[in-house]
Amino acid sequence: MTTVYLNGTFLPLEEAQISVMDRGFLFGDGVYEVIPVYDRQPFRLHEHLARLQASLDGIRLTNPHGADAWESLIMQIVASAEWQDQGVYLQVTRGPGPRDHAFPKIIQPTVFIMPMPLSPPSAESVEHGVSAITATDNRWLRCDLKVTSLLPNVLLRQLSVDADCAETVLIRDGQLIEGSASSVFIVQRGVLLAPPKTNLMLPGITYDVVLELAAAEGMDCVIRPISEAELRSADEIWLTSSTKEVMAVSRLDGQPVGSGQPGPLFRRMHAHYQTFKHTVM
Ligand code: PDD
């Protein structure tokens, strides 16, 4: 049985119910986080809670809990779940109200937290990399907010499923932005390149971890805009996210990336990440 938290109560997932008038349901009016948990220790919890605050600020919704209350709720969900390693999904919506685009006068946010099994990339995909396709980024101009209105991401992600690929890499105005549900890095002549955080991409928590680990490993690393041409001629392409960790793209739009196998910098980063995720809160 999976226990979830909904608006002040811990209860079985099957019994958790919200109103059909919830603005999360009617408008996708809410924000969320996905926090990886290793050995029942949330990884980068404070960073996820800080990004949650930024997303709430971005949609003008008051945070229903302080950081200590969030941590306590999350730790209770983590303890109740059956998995040592897991992902904690949490969502805050603007709650129920009449169906009117404008905010209701009185707001009772809906708070939902659930544990999910974490399925890190298979040994096969770490060894050989994954295939990805590219698509034009047709999302809005506040992709820095982690909002539940994910329809554009859903449709973009499905393009890669239809093409039997692991991810859709998004390009806007000739620049690499991110994946439909991941951050993207490239390696060019031994240098790790990361697109800068702007309003057009989610500030990935794993993105930050990878940049920290790259610095610790002494990798040359530059944060700057990356053109589509540079993406297509990259020696390595990496995807990162809280659920995928670090993965190598070995084929992009059917063409081999570099040698067509995960590159040497990826292998170093992947190995470092595996140790790091278990040793640091
Ligand atoms: N998604 N960019 C997008 C659009 C994402 O949806 C995600 C993660 C990331 C990576 O962010 P982080 O490293 O903080 O997980 C980048 C989560 C996992 C999801 O929606 O399930």
Side-chain angles (χ1 to χ4, degrees):
M1 185 197 72
T2 298
T3 298
V4 302
Y5 171 88
L6 180 65
N7 295 334
T9 312
F10 289 90
L11 73 177
L13 176 60
E14 298 70 33
E15 290 171 25
Q17 294 187 344
I18 59 157
S19 165
V20 291
M21 297 309 285
D22 195 283
R23 294 175 63 91
F25 178 61
L26 294 175
F27 297 115
D29 185 357
V31 300
Y32 76 106
E33 278 296 325
V34 179
I35 305 163
V37 175
Y38 301 107
D39 292 333
R40 295 197 195 269
Q41 287 300 318
F43 183 65
R44 296 276 159 136
L45 177 61
H46 299 117
E47 289 78 359
H48 281 277
L49 291 178
R51 186 173 63 185
L52 173 69
Q53 183 66 56
S55 299
L56 287 165
D57 291 345
I59 72 160
R60 299 168 59 188
L61 181 56
T62 304
N63 196 333
H65 299 300
D68 290 351
W70 275 118
E71 184 164 346
S72 157
L73 293 171
I74 289 165
M75 293 311 289
Q76 288 176 77
I77 286 294
V78 167
S80 73
E82 60 186 284
W83 315 283
Q84 292 289 116
D85 290 357
Q86 53 186 281
V88 171
Y89 176 86
L90 68 86
Q91 160 167 349
V92 184
T93 79
R94 213 178 308 271
R99 190 189 175 280
D100 181 349
H101 288 61
F103 300 169
K105 292 237 158 24
I106 297 166
I107 291 174
Q108 299 164 279
T110 299
V111 178
F112 176 56
I113 314 176
M114 73 169 168
M116 305 180 301
L118 200 61
S119 43
S122 65
E124 153 82 19
S125 55
V126 172
E127 188 54 32
H128 297 294
V130 296
S131 298
I133 57 167
T134 58
T136 300
D137 192 350
N138 57 6
R139 300 173 301 163
W140 68 334
L141 300 178
R142 291 308 307 274
C143 295
D144 54 322
L145 305 178
K146 202 160 174 64
V147 293
T148 58
S149 357
L150 283 172
L151 187 54
N153 300 67
V154 166
L155 294 172
L156 289 162
R157 170 72 183 100
Q158 189 61 33
L159 294 177
S160 54
V161 174
D162 296 345
D164 214 11
C165 289
E167 180 58 301
T168 308
V169 173
L170 306 178
I171 293 167
R172 193 193 287 254
D173 298 331
Q175 306 287 312
L176 165 66
I177 305 295
E178 62 177 343
S180 69
S182 58
S183 309
V184 181
F185 293 78
I186 72 166
V187 174
Q188 191 184 60
R189 290 184 289 279
V191 180
L192 181 64
L193 297 182
K197 290 180 185 172
T198 67
N199 59 308
L200 299 178
M201 72 172 245
L202 187 79
I205 306 296
T206 322
Y207 166 107
D208 287 340
V209 173
V210 162
L211 288 178
E212 284 172 38
L213 295 183
E217 282 276 301
M219 290 179 188
D220 283 337
C221 187
V222 178
I223 301 172
R224 64 155 173 84
I226 299 167
S227 71
E228 178 175 354
E230 289 178 308
L231 171 72
R232 295 198 183 281
S233 61
D235 301 318
E236 303 185 23
I237 301 175
W238 305 352
L239 306 175
T240 71
S241 81
S242 295
T243 48
K244 291 189 185 82
E245 303 178 345
V246 191
M247 272 165 59
V249 175
S250 48
R251 296 188 82 80
L252 185 70
D253 290 335
Q255 301 297 315
V257 175
S259 65
Q261 289 291 320
L265 261 61
F266 167 77
R267 294 198 189 281
R268 265 170 70 193
M269 179 57 68
H270 184 264
H272 197 158
Y273 198 95
Q274 294 315 303
T275 330
F276 186 76
K277 72 181 191 185
H278 285 291
T279 51
V280 184
M281 169 104 179

